[in-house]
Amino acid sequence: QIDKYLYAMRLSDETLIDVMARFRREMKNGLSRDFNPTAAVKMLPTFVRSIPDGSEKGDFIALDLGGSYFRILRVKVSHEKKQTVQMESEIYNTPEDIMHGSGTRLFDHVAECLGDFMEKQQIKDKKLPVGFTFSFPCRQTKLDEGILITWTKRFKASGVEGADVVRLLNKAIKKRGDYDADIMAVVNDTVGTMMTCGFDDQRCEVGLIIGTGTNACYMEEMRHIDLVEGDEGRMCINTEWGAFGDDGSLEDIRTEFDREIDRGSLNPGKQLFEKMVSGLYMGELVRLILVKMAKEGLLFEGRITPELLTKGKFETKHVSAIEKSKEGLNKAKEILTRLGVEPSHEDCIAVQHVCTIVSFRSANLVASTLGAILNQLRDNKGVGRLRTTVGVDGSLYKMHPQYARRLHKTTRRLVPDSEVRFLLSESGSGKGAAMVTAVAYRLSEQHRLIDETLAEFKLTHEQLLQVKKRMRAEMEAGLKKKTHETAKVKMLPTFVRSTPDGTENGDFLALDLGGTNFRVLLVKIRSGKRRTVEMHNKIYAIPIEVMQGTGEELFDHIVTCISDFLDYMGIKGARLPLGFTFSFPCKQTSLDAGILLNWTKGFKATDCEGEDVVYLLREGIKRREEFDLDVVAVVNDTVGTMMTCAYEDPNCEIGLIVGTGSNACYMEEMRNIEMVDGEQGRMCVNTEWGAFGDNGCLDDIRTIYDKAVDDYSLNAGKQRYEKMISGMYLGEIVRNILIDFTKRGFLFRGQISETLKTRHIFETKFLSQIERLALLQVRAILQQLGLNSTCDDSIIVKTVCGAVSRRAAQLCGAGMAAVVDKIRENRGLEHLEITVGVDGTLYKLHPHFSRIMHQTVKDLAPNCDVTFLLSEDGSGKGAALITAVGCRLRDAEQ
């Protein structure tokens, strides 16, 4: 008879499988950007990205608000032999008037309880990390924020919906002022449950609660979560499945009793699935059924008492008691007698049957929604058989004598291809909240240490002014006779006494040696109304064995290349004037004599240092006995850069290179150049500023990473400024920082790959790319380097690159500020307008370098108006222009 009466509550497997399919669709809608706003099942991202990995440790507080009472725990996680957890907790009452009062009162209450707890634990003076389990639907954009979407269950405090509960709680704590707390994570109780169980079983990836309310969470693939940036890894999704059906999708299986319960609830029309399933409503459902059956004379001989008509008189704990197999009927008699209905034995059996139908329906419905989640996990993993663990908590699941068994049985029937272990969460969600907090704490601690490390790369205005001042002092030392010998910034005279005036004319050869490639050029310069420069060139490689062999071999190779080029151009007969761009530190005694001071950039050829390179070149040409050339000038590439720009803009009197290496030159007054006789006019000085700091004057801003790069370089202790700003070394600085961060466990899961150990693997072009690109592309670049990185890794790598290149640009700008201010003072000007000719891959290709450098010059030399002009081929065209100017001045003298 009862079965007939309650047939609508008995759901066939067919119906359950249908409900499972419906819920799977709802999940999909909730995850999609387009459908989420209207979806009933909100599928909220929790920003919890992994279950505990066993490395968590520390002392934490967990608050747990959302059930029938409010609990505070202290959780100590330690690592002696294995991870152990110690917990102490206090339970506080949350009176009805506070649950329904103002939000301010509610959070004042929470803050007061927390204060009392800390008092008892004697930790009021400590600032412990707090995890806040808040069992209501919240929107999060980060772990330590939770914007309440809507109250559920018994709560209805005003002014909280739409607000961030962390802010509200912090405000309440601040208002008291007697203790401090650091709320690091807002955790939904389902997530806490999953994390608690995940601590004991690494395979746990679903959290399920069936208590006062009901909900579930699970680990979803980031690629399916439209609402969060990034496609990497997984994130826990709080389904908020209690709202399943709020859009009408469960109308066909809701009964008149479900509708009646909804009408009398605090939140009509909301949480309809929860109202069919959870403990808050189950006793009430049974009561409504009993009232209707009594009215129709099917129970208690039609007796209806005021107690039976009172909402909330029949509780879920009564349902659990009545369904116990042995004493259930006695309990039924006891409970019904208290309601004054004088039950017969038959009545007791009937009531027990009603309870069973209602609670069984609940277990069946939960099994079908859980089945949908399990299927989603299985499909995500692309496996035929899913093995997983579901962490479960909640009074109904724990207290009801048959509930758990029925749930397990139906679940296994609905998803036969899954092996599911149900794990009861012993300590509720508190331990889980502490675990989430521990992970958050580990990450924030890690961020703090990363920031602390990279802070050394952030230079203040004062520090940069100091660098400018020191550069100026070093320049003065290089120019003066008595300090020139010991000076590190050599300030070498170049014997280039003038920039082009536009009358240059003729055909010139240029050689360009300064790196792994060697170029020979023919440059045809035509003066007149329409000045033109026509260039032909050919590039030759210099094998490493020649770079590091004997001087004779090196110059023979160079002459062979020239010979090939003259044949190629068909100009072997003419004795052309030649400019030799030789981009190494040279001491010039005249325009056509340059003594190599020391090799840089990986060159190591013997018997060259201390020799005149023009002489070595002329000797090589003689040995060949094939052609003759008129070597007019030895040119440094920086000077060439200045000259090409000066050909376009007569205001250009400074040359700057920021590429593989870095250097600058500028037009200095002859009276200041004590190394060369004569007081009249100007001469270009090659600063060789890369060696700035070799006397230790930059040690206060050099980091351990700079020192490591220097120690392992070919020329340890030399070119220290260059090693902080130029392309050849920035990648190395970054690599050293990444190794350190990996050792400290911040990156690449603490695994140092072979790639990362390889010197010079991080070419500077990677720096430019990494700083320009989005994170996914950064991951691709790191993958090319054999570094398997997560999204978080990529963010850190990008940050490191930014810090290193920013400092480089600022240091370079500080050096340039010293140069422009010196020129301004040389000329006794209030205000100087000047152009700098610039070349170099770092300057040209890096997305931010030039902008930051320009800004730094502006900040440090406010009285100079500096224009930067990109040089077109300074070392080729520039060398030809210097040769042309040299020829012009030579002819004028004759």
Side-chain angles (χ1 to χ4, degrees):
Q1 199 178 2
I2 289 169
D3 285 354
K4 211 167 99 192
Y5 197 80
L6 290 180
Y7 83 99
M9 286 212 165
R10 322 221 37 180
L11 305 172
S12 66
D13 275 7
E14 199 181 347
T15 305
L16 293 176
I17 284 167
D18 183 36
V19 169
M20 188 156 81
R22 285 184 219 180
F23 186 66
R24 186 89 187 263
R25 275 199 301 277
E26 293 287 321
M27 285 167 65
K28 211 175 140 103
N29 287 344
L31 287 173
S32 101
R33 183 174 284 115
D34 300 335
F35 295 109
N36 175 277
T38 55
V41 178
K42 281 293 177 218
M43 301 297 281
L44 303 166
T46 63
F47 294 83
V48 170
R49 293 168 191 271
S50 62
I51 53 172
D53 66 357
S55 70
E56 296 75 20
K57 56 175 186 288
D59 193 351
F60 306 98
I61 288 178
L63 306 178
D64 189 348
L65 177 70
S68 357
Y69 48 76
F70 168 48
R71 201 163 62 125
I72 304 181
L73 306 91
R74 182 176 181 189
V75 183
K76 288 184 197 164
V77 191
S78 64
H79 277 272
E80 290 316 316
K81 300 227 169 21
K82 63 189 244 311
Q83 205 173 21
T84 53
V85 179
Q86 234 188 309
M87 296 203 291
E88 300 165 68
S89 71
E90 287 273 334
I91 288 177
Y92 295 89
N93 207 355
T94 307
E96 189 91 6
D97 61 315
I98 283 184
M99 293 202 290
H100 297 164
S102 75
T104 318
R105 268 191 72 198
L106 173 64
F107 283 99
D108 285 349
H109 173 68
V110 173
E112 188 183 336
C113 297
L114 180 55
D116 172 77
F117 180 78
M118 289 173 84
E119 188 87 61
K120 285 184 179 147
Q121 291 281 329
Q122 298 171 334
I123 47 174
K124 257 192 159 163
D125 53 335
K126 286 203 180 94
K127 185 175 182 178
L128 292 186
V130 177
F132 184 14
T133 303
F134 187 71
S135 322
F136 302 94
C138 281
R139 272 204 195 290
Q140 294 184 267
T141 58
K142 45 184 199 281
L143 194 54
D144 58 353
E145 144 194 290
I147 292 164
L148 177 65
I149 297 174
T150 162
W151 284 118
T152 57
K153 296 170 291 206
R154 295 200 184 85
F155 280 75
K156 201 77 181 158
S158 62
V160 184
E161 293 181 342
D164 174 6
V165 295
V166 176
R167 271 215 13 237
L168 295 175
L169 179 53
N170 273 330
K171 209 162 115 188
I173 292 172
K174 220 181 217 88
K175 194 159 73 185
R176 293 176 59 84
D178 59 339
Y179 65 88
D180 207 356
D182 191 4
I183 302 165
M184 301 208 93
V186 180
V187 185
N188 183 279
D189 55 342
T190 19
V191 181
T193 300
M194 179 187 80
M195 294 294 275
T196 300
C197 296
F199 185 74
D200 302 314
D201 179 344
Q202 290 276 304
R203 267 222 297 283
C204 180
E205 45 191 354
V206 182
L208 171 62
I209 287 197
I210 316 158
T212 314
T214 179
N215 193 10
C217 69
Y218 71 101
M219 296 301 292
E220 178 57 272
E221 303 291 317
M222 279 290 289
R223 62 174 193 268
H224 294 154
I225 308 173
D226 284 0
L227 298 174
V228 182
E229 275 296 295
D231 285 341
E232 275 326 295
R234 307 201 300 170
M235 183 182 283
C236 180
I237 287 289
N238 165 17
T239 63
E240 285 298 337
W241 76 13
F244 177 32
D246 288 8
D247 56 357
S249 56
L250 291 177
E251 286 314 301
D252 55 332
I253 59 169
R254 286 176 73 227
T255 65
E256 52 179 308
F257 307 110
D258 296 309
R259 295 196 167 84
E260 195 173 338
I261 262 205
D262 180 44
R263 282 197 297 273
S265 68
L266 276 172
N267 53 351
K270 300 245 162 65
Q271 302 291 105
L272 298 182
F273 179 72
E274 181 168 79
K275 286 169 184 165
M276 297 167 78
V277 166
S278 79
L280 185 55
Y281 308 99
M282 188 170 285
E284 190 58 11
L285 270 174
V286 172
R287 186 185 70 80
L288 292 174
I289 293 167
L290 299 185
V291 167
K292 186 165 186 210
M293 289 176 74
K295 277 185 180 162
E296 294 181 16
L298 298 172
L299 277 178
F300 320 132
E301 296 169 356
R303 275 190 299 281
I304 295 173
T305 62
E307 286 86 350
L308 186 60
L309 289 173
T310 306
K311 183 174 164 186
K313 271 288 184 206
F314 198 99
E315 297 173 45
T316 300
K317 64 178 184 203
H318 299 149
V319 177
S320 297
I322 291 170
E323 282 194 67
K324 286 194 171 139
S325 41
K326 294 213 167 51
E327 69 263 34
L329 288 172
N330 291 338
K331 287 282 179 206
K333 196 171 176 67
E334 213 175 288
I335 290 159
L336 292 166
T337 304
R338 260 189 314 214
L339 291 174
V341 291
E342 303 166 28
S344 66
H345 184 62
E346 280 67 36
D347 285 338
C348 292
I349 293 172
V351 168
Q352 189 178 47
H353 198 53
V354 170
C355 289
T356 304
I357 289 174
V358 170
S359 66
F360 215 131
R361 178 183 73 156
S362 166
N364 281 342
L365 284 171
V366 171
S368 54
T369 47
L370 177 62
I373 289 178
L374 296 171
N375 283 337
Q376 176 87 348
L377 284 173
R378 191 196 56 209
D379 293 352
N380 282 348
K381 293 185 178 176
V383 291
R385 231 185 136 60
L386 174 74
R387 287 185 65 190
T388 192
T389 299
V390 177
V392 201
D393 197 5
S395 47
L396 186 58
Y397 181 89
K398 285 203 261 204
M399 302 307 187
H400 190 289
Q402 327 285 340
Y403 197 97
R405 194 178 44 82
R406 292 172 186 163
L407 171 69
H408 302 170
K409 210 168 155 183
T410 309
T411 304
R412 294 188 174 118
R413 208 168 61 239
L414 294 178
V415 278
D417 43 10
S418 295
E419 270 177 65
V420 188
R421 174 179 181 217
F422 288 87
L423 187 58
L424 188 62
S425 158
E426 290 305 334
S427 42
S429 47
K431 181 164 149 189
M435 287 303 144
V436 176
T437 308
V439 173
Y441 182 68
R442 193 180 76 213
L443 289 174
S444 88
E445 198 47 19
Q446 177 177 311
H447 280 295
R448 192 180 64 74
L449 292 167
I450 287 173
D451 289 345
E452 201 173 278
T453 303
L454 294 181
E456 293 187 63
F457 287 86
K458 292 196 169 75
L459 301 176
T460 62
H461 183 72
E462 275 55 49
Q463 283 175 305
L464 290 168
L465 270 176
Q466 206 47 45
V467 173
K468 173 190 169 184
K469 198 170 126 195
R470 291 174 200 171
M471 174 67 89
R472 176 67 183 266
E474 295 295 304
M475 286 167 67
E476 302 285 2
L479 287 170
K480 300 222 176 340
K481 230 189 197 113
K482 64 173 201 289
T483 45
H484 178 83
E485 262 320 293
T486 56
K488 292 299 181 188
V489 178
K490 279 295 177 212
M491 305 296 285
L492 305 168
T494 63
F495 295 87
V496 171
R497 296 169 189 270
S498 153
T499 49
D501 66 0
T503 63
E504 294 75 20
N505 200 33
D507 293 2
F508 306 90
L509 271 184
L511 307 182
D512 176 13
L513 176 69
T516 42
N517 289 330
F518 166 62
R519 282 191 312 159
V520 187
L521 307 92
L522 172 65
V523 183
K524 300 181 171 186
I525 302 174
R526 298 292 174 263
S527 60
K529 268 208 185 69
R530 296 195 54 237
R531 301 186 306 173
T532 59
V533 179
E534 185 191 321
M535 308 209 300
H536 305 271
N537 72 50
K538 203 166 169 190
I539 295 179
Y540 301 90
I542 299 183
I544 191 135
E545 57 274 14
V546 174
M547 277 165 72
Q548 306 189 351
T550 68
E552 268 199 10
E553 286 167 351
L554 176 61
F555 280 91
D556 284 345
H557 177 72
I558 289 170
V559 173
T560 307
C561 297
I562 298 172
S563 169
D564 172 83
F565 181 76
L566 296 176
D567 286 338
Y568 168 72
M569 294 300 296
I571 48 171
K572 213 166 219 166
R575 182 174 185 264
L576 290 173
L578 174 138
F580 183 10
T581 298
F582 187 73
S583 309
F584 301 93
C586 269
K587 184 167 182 184
Q588 281 183 257
T589 48
S590 66
L591 189 60
D592 65 347
I595 291 156
L596 172 64
L597 295 176
N598 55 285
W599 284 120
T600 55
K601 295 182 255 191
F603 274 76
K604 273 237 158 72
T606 56
D607 309 320
C608 295
E609 294 184 352
E611 298 295 325
D612 174 9
V613 292
V614 175
Y615 172 75
L616 295 175
L617 177 62
R618 285 177 178 148
E619 287 302 296
I621 294 173
K622 270 189 200 148
R623 283 197 293 277
R624 181 107 186 170
E625 292 182 332
E626 248 188 51
F627 55 87
D628 195 17
L629 296 171
D630 172 18
V631 185
V632 176
V634 186
V635 181
N636 179 282
D637 55 346
T638 323
V639 185
T641 297
M642 178 187 79
M643 292 297 267
T644 41
C645 289
Y647 192 62
E648 308 297 328
D649 174 357
N651 216 11
C652 175
E653 301 186 76
I654 302 175
L656 168 68
I657 288 191
V658 206
T660 314
S662 178
N663 194 10
C665 69
Y666 70 102
M667 297 303 288
E668 177 58 273
E669 309 300 313
M670 277 294 290
R671 63 173 189 272
N672 293 336
I673 307 173
E674 296 183 6
M675 304 307 294
V676 181
D677 294 338
E679 300 284 311
Q680 288 315 302
R682 294 176 182 153
M683 181 184 285
C684 181
V685 168
N686 164 17
T687 63
E688 286 298 337
W689 80 6
F692 176 37
D694 290 4
N695 57 2
C697 71
L698 291 177
D699 286 3
D700 57 336
I701 60 170
R702 287 172 75 232
T703 65
I704 49 170
Y705 310 106
D706 295 302
K707 297 187 177 92
V709 169
D710 184 27
D711 291 344
Y712 287 108
S713 63
L714 280 167
N715 53 349
K718 299 226 162 67
Q719 302 291 102
R720 287 181 176 172
Y721 180 61
E722 175 170 83
K723 283 172 187 163
M724 294 167 85
I725 62 181
S726 79
M728 183 163 173
Y729 304 100
L730 295 189
E732 270 305 277
I733 299 174
V734 167
R735 190 181 66 84
N736 276 284
I737 298 174
L738 298 185
I739 285 180
D740 180 40
F741 281 5
T742 309
K743 280 185 184 153
R744 288 158 71 183
F746 304 160
L747 272 177
F748 309 130
R749 296 168 225 43
Q751 306 294 311
I752 299 184
S753 64
E754 282 312 306
T755 326
L756 207 47
K757 290 183 196 156
T758 316
R759 302 227 329 260
H760 302 299
I761 183 75
F762 252 91
E763 297 167 56
T764 301
K765 68 164 191 226
F766 286 132
L767 256 72
S768 298
Q769 287 172 353
I770 285 170
E771 289 191 61
R772 184 180 286 121
L773 298 173
L775 288 181
L776 268 179
Q777 295 158 299
V778 173
R779 286 192 59 251
I781 290 177
L782 293 173
Q783 242 132 22
Q784 283 168 18
L785 294 175
L787 300 167
N788 267 323
S789 78
T790 62
C791 223
D792 291 338
D793 289 341
S794 308
I795 293 171
I796 294 172
V797 171
K798 199 167 174 169
T799 312
V800 170
C801 290
V804 171
S805 64
R806 183 181 181 81
R807 182 189 68 161
Q810 289 181 320
L811 284 173
C812 183
M816 186 44 70
V819 174
V820 294
D821 253 345
K822 177 154 190 358
I823 295 176
R824 184 179 63 80
E825 288 172 30
N826 281 347
R827 300 181 187 177
L829 298 171
E830 274 298 298
H831 188 83
L832 171 74
E833 282 194 24
I834 197 160
T835 300
V836 180
V838 202
D839 200 355
T841 44
L842 188 59
Y843 182 90
K844 284 181 175 166
L845 302 177
H846 192 281
H848 315 301
F849 189 95
S850 56
R851 178 176 51 80
I852 294 167
M853 188 194 87
H854 298 168
Q855 189 54 50
T856 309
V857 176
K858 217 186 203 126
D859 294 345
L860 301 180
N863 300 332
C864 300
D865 192 353
V866 186
T867 308
F868 290 86
L869 193 58
L870 267 182
S871 148
E872 287 304 313
D873 189 19
S875 39
K877 184 171 159 186
L881 282 165
I882 290 172
T883 306
V885 171
C887 289
R888 185 188 69 177
L889 294 178
R890 188 174 65 183
D891 295 347
E893 276 170 30
Q894 287 167 359

